[in-house]
Amino acid sequence: MLMIGERMKTWETIKQTLINFYNDSSVDPWLNTLNVISFDNNSLIISVPDQFSYDWIKNHFLNDIIRVVRDIDGNGIEVSLILEDGNTDEINNIEPVKGNQFIDKVEAELREKYSLENFVEGECNKFAFAAAQAVAKGPGHTYNPLFIYGGVGLGKTHLVNAIGNHIKKEYKLYVIYVSAEAFVNDLVHHLKTNKMDSFRETYRNCDVLLIDDIEFISNKEKTQEEIFHTFNKLYEEKKQIVFTSDRLPKEIPGIEERLRSRFEMGLIADIQAPDVETKVAIVKKKAEQNNIDIDDDIAFFLAYNTLSNIRELEGYLTRLSAYAYLTKTKLNINVAKEVLASVIKKKDKWVTIEDIQKAISLYFKIKVSDLNSQKRMRYIAYPRQIAMYLARTLTNASFPEIGTQFGNKDHSTVIHSVNKIDNLYKTDQSVKDVIEKIKKGL
Ligand code: ADP
Ligand code: MG
């Protein structure tokens, strides 16, 4: 590799910028397969290990890579992607992809991969999903506007695009999907170039307007004014409008009252964090869609080891399939654990005291309320001590916090319990076995 010192640093900066730019863990494994062959003032040559990665990188990432390279390292640089056939002295130089017409245009296009059919329904998203279906089937006539809110990676962008795709396909209507950020950029661009007429022409004459992540317009007065007027025009004409947001309208700061009341005028539907079953169902669906063969135990492993963010879950799946593909290994649970060891969040971080109490109550067949009571009978006190020990070792809770969650026990009681079980764990094999069993069930 002809890359030394500064160049190496520059490449790291480029990679980091891309990682931040995508902000999507499923992309990282792809970026990590890139290998720099040479990097000087005029050109950067990157290689990938096989045809599959080559196609993937070329189709999905190359333009962004080129853009970032030029942003960071000046405009003249030519970027080439080549295929490295396992053998480093024999490099197949596939015609470099040159240039990048970085389009000065708003990305106002539906994402086709998201459909109502490939959205998995669960307890957590039932309401939003039903609302989305109703709106997709009767745009402008059911709930207008529809306002979907929920945390990161829970399916808002998926749902809103699914609505748009359905309407476009079934009714051949003109649908605009735009993130609030892209809307703002588009507005700024039109303002600068004195072309507000064409801006208004676009947004006020569509049949369906879908604006994603509307919280972005917080404190942006000019944008809010435009959205206000656009809204009114579309609404009067019974054109469907859908917003998504990471929070309720009333929780978005810096929103004009007249706009807020319009957000609240139709139906507000929430998406909550998924439970394990829903996560498993989603993993399986995604695997099936992408022709990835995974067993149930891997699906459960992934589901158990992610918090609520489905995007993170998908990222793990992509990483697994990339690994299986690139190394020609068949996936099983042990391979999966190994491959994900470095990226998966430590499970300890998110086991809650409640989870522990439930597990203990199941194992010892006693009620959670007994665990939290003042009762001192041994058949309750002993499981309680184990529960406190697990709470201390598996969560970040302090002694007083644990005491509070166990029916307001004093922190000295907690300390005593934890020490006692800790000793038993080290000296008594049967106690250790019990604890390990319970941990597995968590
Ligand atoms: P948000 O916009 O809420 O941050 P996204 O819609 O981008 O989340 O969802 C993140 C990823 O998770 C997407 O790839 C999406 O397809 C997937 N996803 C989320 N919820 C579901 C679901 N219920 N069924 C299928 N895929 C889902
Ligand atoms: Mg989104």
Side-chain angles (χ1 to χ4, degrees):
M1 197 189 296
L2 303 170
M3 191 169 55
I4 34 164
E6 282 307 304
R7 284 285 156 198
M8 185 78 98
K9 263 200 229 149
T10 310
W11 172 245
E12 283 310 316
T13 314
I14 290 167
K15 230 167 64 170
Q16 201 49 52
T17 308
L18 285 162
I19 288 173
N20 296 344
F21 170 70
Y22 291 115
N23 188 20
D24 177 348
S25 54
S26 68
V27 171
D28 303 355
W30 294 108
L31 297 179
N32 286 328
T33 60
L34 298 177
N35 208 350
V36 172
I37 300 292
S38 77
F39 192 2
D40 59 31
N41 291 334
N42 304 314
S43 86
L44 166 66
I45 302 178
I46 326 166
S47 74
V48 283
D50 55 28
Q51 188 66 47
F52 179 72
S53 316
Y54 178 86
D55 294 339
W56 191 274
I57 301 262
K58 186 174 157 191
N59 294 333
H60 293 83
F61 306 123
L62 193 58
N63 269 347
D64 292 325
I65 294 176
I66 294 172
R67 182 172 52 81
V68 170
V69 169
R70 292 185 179 167
D71 278 354
I72 291 180
D73 214 64
N75 270 326
I77 289 204
E78 192 158 291
V79 180
S80 318
L81 183 68
I82 59 169
L83 183 69
E84 181 186 331
D85 242 349
N87 184 345
T88 33
D89 1 65
E90 198 189 306
I91 294 165
N92 298 326
N93 201 341
I94 292 184
E95 200 189 325
V97 184
K98 281 187 207 155
N100 167 42
Q101 303 80 40
F102 191 51
I103 329 149
D104 188 15
K105 167 183 148 232
V106 59
E107 199 211 318
E109 265 170 32
L110 283 165
R111 306 197 187 162
E112 278 171 18
K113 64 176 176 177
Y114 296 138
S115 68
L116 291 172
E117 291 73 31
N118 65 24
F119 189 81
V120 175
E121 181 180 349
E123 212 42 58
C124 55
N125 57 35
K126 225 173 166 167
F127 183 39
F129 187 43
Q133 285 170 310
V135 163
K137 283 164 193 158
H141 297 283
T142 47
Y143 309 111
N144 206 12
L146 172 62
F147 190 103
I148 301 173
Y149 79 97
V152 178
L154 297 187
K156 302 182 296 294
T157 296
H158 185 133
L159 261 191
V160 73
N161 276 282
I163 295 174
N165 283 319
H166 184 91
I167 295 177
K168 191 173 158 191
K169 186 161 147 248
E170 294 298 317
Y171 308 109
K172 313 273 178 289
L173 292 178
Y174 176 40
V175 180
I176 292 187
Y177 162 79
V178 67
S179 70
E181 186 175 0
F183 185 92
V184 172
N185 291 340
D186 201 26
L187 175 65
V188 170
H189 174 75
H190 282 85
L191 274 173
K192 265 196 205 151
T193 49
N194 265 328
K195 286 189 192 140
M196 278 311 286
D197 287 351
S198 100
F199 181 86
R200 290 180 182 139
E201 167 91 18
T202 309
Y203 290 99
R204 296 185 191 180
N205 288 310
C206 61
D207 298 313
V208 177
L209 179 61
L210 312 169
I211 306 189
D212 207 358
D213 298 317
I214 194 69
E215 73 276 3
F216 188 81
I217 66 168
S218 153
N219 294 319
K220 298 190 170 61
E221 282 156 33
K222 187 74 195 143
T223 308
Q224 292 186 23
E225 192 185 329
E226 262 328 295
I227 291 189
F228 177 74
H229 294 297
T230 307
F231 182 100
N232 291 344
K233 163 111 186 340
L234 295 175
Y235 184 81
E236 268 164 33
E237 293 173 5
K238 293 206 166 9
K239 304 287 175 66
Q240 182 69 46
I241 305 155
V242 184
F243 299 107
T244 76
S245 166
D246 64 352
R247 63 199 92 165
L248 280 165
K250 65 166 187 282
E251 289 165 354
I252 309 175
I255 295 280
E256 280 176 49
E257 202 38 53
R258 58 179 189 169
L259 195 52
R260 187 195 311 281
S261 68
R262 275 161 182 76
F263 291 162
E264 290 170 341
M265 197 157 107
L267 179 69
I268 299 183
D270 64 318
I271 306 188
Q272 296 292 332
D275 50 32
V276 170
E277 287 77 9
T278 309
K279 286 197 272 181
V280 169
I282 293 174
V283 173
K284 286 177 146 182
K285 184 124 196 168
K286 299 275 173 192
E288 188 191 301
Q289 265 171 37
N290 296 301
N291 286 319
I292 305 166
D293 199 13
I294 60 158
D295 294 335
D296 279 7
D297 53 353
I298 299 184
F300 271 94
F301 172 73
L302 293 176
Y304 272 116
N305 282 286
T306 41
L307 295 162
S308 52
N309 191 335
I310 311 280
R311 197 173 297 129
E312 182 188 330
L313 197 64
E314 274 189 281
Y316 295 157
L317 190 62
T318 309
R319 195 179 176 97
L320 281 184
S321 70
Y323 179 86
Y325 183 87
L326 298 173
T327 63
K328 308 196 171 34
T329 311
K330 181 153 172 38
L331 287 178
N332 62 39
I333 183 71
N334 293 326
V335 172
K337 283 184 179 167
E338 207 170 291
V339 173
L340 297 176
S342 60
V343 286
I344 246 168
K345 300 232 166 29
K346 268 209 98 47
K347 205 183 162 194
D348 319 2
K349 280 199 189 130
W350 59 273
V351 170
T352 65
I353 294 185
E354 264 184 2
D355 295 335
I356 293 169
Q357 292 174 334
K358 272 189 213 144
I360 292 280
S361 108
L362 271 177
Y363 187 88
F364 290 100
K365 302 189 177 49
I366 56 172
K367 294 195 201 117
V368 171
S369 58
D370 281 338
L371 277 180
N372 297 340
S373 70
Q374 305 303 322
K375 293 178 189 164
R376 288 163 176 242
M377 291 84 94
R378 190 180 143 76
Y379 79 97
I380 293 171
Y382 175 62
R384 183 189 293 137
Q385 288 167 340
I386 294 188
M388 288 177 169
Y389 165 83
L390 288 174
R392 180 63 190 171
T393 49
L394 299 182
T395 75
N396 294 325
S398 64
F399 290 116
E401 277 162 2
I402 296 171
T404 308
Q405 290 217 42
F406 279 83
N408 284 324
K409 306 274 185 312
D410 192 76
H411 74 277
S412 62
T413 310
V414 182
I415 295 175
H416 170 76
S417 305
V418 172
N419 288 343
K420 181 179 153 191
I421 301 299
D422 191 39
N423 276 331
L424 284 174
Y425 183 90
K426 287 173 188 148
T427 54
D428 185 334
Q429 185 62 37
S430 65
V431 174
K432 185 173 173 179
D433 289 345
V434 168
I435 290 177
E436 287 308 315
K437 239 190 228 161
I438 297 169
K439 268 193 188 171
K440 272 210 188 106
L442 275 171

CSV table of all heavy atoms in Angstrom, one decimal, residues 111 151-158 160-161 177 212-213 244 311, ligand 2:
chain,number,residue,atom,x,y,z
A,111,ARG,N,-39.3,5.7,-1.5
A,111,ARG,CA,-38.4,4.6,-1.4
A,111,ARG,C,-39.2,3.3,-1.7
A,111,ARG,O,-40.0,2.9,-0.9
A,111,ARG,CB,-37.7,4.5,0.0
A,111,ARG,CG,-37.1,5.9,0.2
A,111,ARG,CD,-36.1,5.8,1.4
A,111,ARG,NE,-35.7,7.2,1.7
A,111,ARG,CZ,-35.2,7.5,2.8
A,111,ARG,NH1,-34.9,6.6,3.7
A,111,ARG,NH2,-34.8,8.8,3.0
A,151,GLY,N,-40.0,6.5,18.2
A,151,GLY,CA,-38.6,6.6,18.4
A,151,GLY,C,-37.8,6.3,17.1
A,151,GLY,O,-38.4,5.8,16.1
A,152,VAL,N,-36.5,6.4,17.2
A,152,VAL,CA,-35.6,6.1,16.1
A,152,VAL,C,-35.7,4.7,15.7
A,152,VAL,O,-35.6,3.8,16.5
A,152,VAL,CB,-34.2,6.4,16.5
A,152,VAL,CG1,-33.2,6.1,15.4
A,152,VAL,CG2,-34.0,7.9,16.9
A,153,GLY,N,-35.7,4.5,14.4
A,153,GLY,CA,-35.6,3.1,13.8
A,153,GLY,C,-36.8,2.2,14.1
A,153,GLY,O,-36.7,1.0,14.1
A,154,LEU,N,-38.0,2.8,14.3
A,154,LEU,CA,-39.1,2.0,14.7
A,154,LEU,C,-40.1,1.8,13.5
A,154,LEU,O,-41.1,1.2,13.6
A,154,LEU,CB,-39.9,2.6,15.9
A,154,LEU,CG,-39.1,2.6,17.2
A,154,LEU,CD1,-40.0,3.1,18.3
A,154,LEU,CD2,-38.5,1.3,17.5
A,155,GLY,N,-39.7,2.4,12.4
A,155,GLY,CA,-40.6,2.1,11.2
A,155,GLY,C,-41.4,3.3,10.6
A,155,GLY,O,-42.3,3.0,9.8
A,156,LYS,N,-41.1,4.5,11.0
A,156,LYS,CA,-41.9,5.6,10.6
A,156,LYS,C,-41.6,5.9,9.1
A,156,LYS,O,-42.6,6.0,8.3
A,156,LYS,CB,-41.5,6.9,11.3
A,156,LYS,CG,-41.7,6.8,12.8
A,156,LYS,CD,-41.4,8.1,13.5
A,156,LYS,CE,-39.9,8.5,13.4
A,156,LYS,NZ,-39.0,7.6,14.1
A,157,THR,N,-40.4,5.9,8.7
A,157,THR,CA,-40.0,6.1,7.3
A,157,THR,C,-40.6,5.0,6.4
A,157,THR,O,-41.1,5.2,5.3
A,157,THR,CB,-38.5,6.2,7.1
A,157,THR,OG1,-38.1,7.4,7.9
A,157,THR,CG2,-38.1,6.4,5.7
A,158,HIS,N,-40.5,3.8,7.0
A,158,HIS,CA,-41.1,2.6,6.2
A,158,HIS,C,-42.6,2.8,6.0
A,158,HIS,O,-43.0,2.8,4.9
A,158,HIS,CB,-40.8,1.4,7.1
A,158,HIS,CG,-41.2,0.1,6.4
A,158,HIS,ND1,-40.4,-1.0,6.4
A,158,HIS,CD2,-42.3,-0.2,5.7
A,158,HIS,CE1,-41.0,-2.0,5.7
A,158,HIS,NE2,-42.2,-1.5,5.3
A,160,VAL,N,-44.5,5.5,6.1
A,160,VAL,CA,-45.0,6.6,5.3
A,160,VAL,C,-44.7,6.4,3.8
A,160,VAL,O,-45.5,6.7,3.0
A,160,VAL,CB,-44.3,7.9,5.9
A,160,VAL,CG1,-42.9,8.1,5.5
A,160,VAL,CG2,-45.1,9.1,5.4
A,161,ASN,N,-43.6,5.7,3.6
A,161,ASN,CA,-43.3,5.3,2.2
A,161,ASN,C,-44.2,4.3,1.7
A,161,ASN,O,-44.6,4.3,0.5
A,161,ASN,CB,-41.8,4.9,2.0
A,161,ASN,CG,-40.9,6.0,1.9
A,161,ASN,OD1,-40.8,6.6,0.8
A,161,ASN,ND2,-40.2,6.4,2.9
A,177,TYR,N,-42.8,12.4,-1.6
A,177,TYR,CA,-42.2,12.0,-0.3
A,177,TYR,C,-40.9,12.8,-0.1
A,177,TYR,O,-40.1,12.9,-0.9
A,177,TYR,CB,-41.9,10.5,-0.2
A,177,TYR,CG,-40.9,10.2,0.9
A,177,TYR,CD1,-41.4,10.1,2.2
A,177,TYR,CD2,-39.5,10.1,0.7
A,177,TYR,CE1,-40.5,9.9,3.3
A,177,TYR,CE2,-38.7,9.9,1.8
A,177,TYR,CZ,-39.1,9.8,3.0
A,177,TYR,OH,-38.3,9.6,4.1
A,212,ASP,N,-41.4,13.6,6.1
A,212,ASP,CA,-40.8,12.7,7.1
A,212,ASP,C,-40.0,13.6,8.1
A,212,ASP,O,-39.3,14.5,7.7
A,212,ASP,CB,-39.8,11.7,6.4
A,212,ASP,CG,-39.6,10.4,7.1
A,212,ASP,OD1,-40.2,10.3,8.2
A,212,ASP,OD2,-38.9,9.5,6.6
A,213,ASP,N,-40.0,13.2,9.4
A,213,ASP,CA,-39.2,13.9,10.4
A,213,ASP,C,-39.5,15.4,10.5
A,213,ASP,O,-38.6,16.2,10.5
A,213,ASP,CB,-37.7,13.6,10.2
A,213,ASP,CG,-37.3,12.2,10.2
A,213,ASP,OD1,-37.8,11.5,11.1
A,213,ASP,OD2,-36.6,11.7,9.4
A,244,THR,N,-44.4,12.5,9.8
A,244,THR,CA,-43.8,11.7,10.8
A,244,THR,C,-43.0,12.5,11.7
A,244,THR,O,-42.5,13.6,11.3
A,244,THR,CB,-43.0,10.5,10.3
A,244,THR,OG1,-41.7,11.0,9.9
A,244,THR,CG2,-43.6,9.8,9.1
A,311,ARG,N,-33.5,-0.7,12.9
A,311,ARG,CA,-32.4,-0.5,12.0
A,311,ARG,C,-31.2,-1.2,12.5
A,311,ARG,O,-30.4,-1.8,11.7
A,311,ARG,CB,-32.2,1.0,11.8
A,311,ARG,CG,-31.4,1.4,10.6
A,311,ARG,CD,-31.3,2.9,10.4
A,311,ARG,NE,-32.6,3.4,10.2
A,311,ARG,CZ,-33.1,4.5,10.8
A,311,ARG,NH1,-32.4,5.0,11.8
A,311,ARG,NH2,-34.3,5.0,10.5
B,2,MG,MG,-37.0,7.8,9.5
